[in-house]
Amino acid sequence: MSLDNAFRLDGRVAFVVGAGNGIGRAIAQAFAEAGADVACLDVEDAAAKETAAVVTKAGRKAHAQVCDVSSRSEEHT
């Protein structure tokens, strides 16, 4: 197994919190480039959708979702 293959995420789904901008967007992009489909979660709907569009352009499936992990009212059981 080559080192490149050791870091492949083919067939996996990544959930990235804070995916709308900065480091979160870069992580979502990197996961997509490694072969993962990505759920892009952010407090800003438009930013999450922009990142999902970037992931889709990389040839992966993406879903944008508004989510505030600092709010207990967002908690689901």
Side-chain angles (χ1 to χ4, degrees):
M1 173 190 295
S2 74
L3 188 58
D4 289 339
N5 288 336
F7 296 103
R8 294 296 307 165
L9 298 173
D10 299 307
R12 305 231 173 135
V13 177
F15 287 77
V16 180
V17 177
N21 297 291
I23 294 170
R25 180 173 284 178
I27 290 169
Q29 258 185 294
F31 285 165
E33 289 170 6
D37 294 330
V38 183
C40 304
L41 291 79
D42 200 272
V43 294
E44 297 178 22
D45 186 45
K49 287 179 179 175
E50 287 176 23
T51 301
V54 169
V55 169
T56 302
K57 285 181 185 175
R60 303 306 312 162
K61 293 179 185 175
H63 176 74
Q65 180 67 46
V66 174
C67 179
D68 183 355
V69 297
S70 68
S71 172
R72 278 190 88 73
S73 67
E74 296 277 329
E75 190 174 296
H76 297 282
T77 55

